[in-house]
Amino acid sequence: MPPPEPADPLGDLRERLRATQEAAARLAGDDARVPPQGWAAPSDAGAGDGAPGLNADLAALAAAVVALRELVPPELQQQVADLIRQVLLLVRAILDRWIERLEGERGAEPDVEDIPIA
């Protein structure tokens, strides 16, 4: 009868490593794959883990704004719209004035000095 083979310590380590990799793959599932672009956010269609994406957050924010807008009377909505329009016109006028001032400085003749050559 041949002697029993000694237990392979590396074999046991390989088996544990394989089991750990399989468990990690099961936990990660298909949603954890890197998107094709590498930087793209995963789509919400495949997100079944309950974590809302950016689109869901924006949709919730838009729904809240619409709900608040429905609570405000039409006259107040018109006043707010007029106020926002006036503020935007003011910002545009300030930017136009600033750009005119910057262009005036650029168009000026540069100071030139004659350098004597000895």
Side-chain angles (χ1 to χ4, degrees):
M1 186 167 174
E5 292 184 26
D8 183 19
L10 291 179
D12 186 37
L13 182 61
R14 285 187 197 104
E15 179 60 32
R16 291 172 117 186
L17 183 59
R18 185 190 58 74
T20 303
Q21 287 174 336
E22 289 174 358
R26 278 194 311 273
L27 287 175
D30 291 335
D31 293 335
R33 289 183 297 183
V34 175
Q37 293 87 7
W39 48 265
S43 64
D44 287 336
D49 57 357
L54 181 61
N55 290 337
D57 291 342
L58 289 176
L61 181 62
V65 168
V66 168
L68 287 175
R69 185 175 183 192
E70 291 173 355
L71 294 175
V72 176
E75 298 84 24
L76 185 58
Q77 285 182 10
Q78 185 62 39
Q79 289 176 356
V80 169
D82 291 340
L83 177 66
I84 291 172
R85 186 175 298 114
Q86 291 297 321
V87 168
L88 290 174
L89 287 172
L90 175 66
V91 169
R92 181 179 178 184
I94 291 171
L95 288 174
D96 286 343
R97 176 67 181 129
W98 193 7
I99 290 171
E100 286 175 7
R101 208 175 89 210
L102 288 175
E103 286 176 350
E105 292 175 3
R106 283 190 195 163
E109 293 268 335
D111 293 333
V112 179
E113 289 184 30
D114 288 334
I115 300 174
I117 301 176

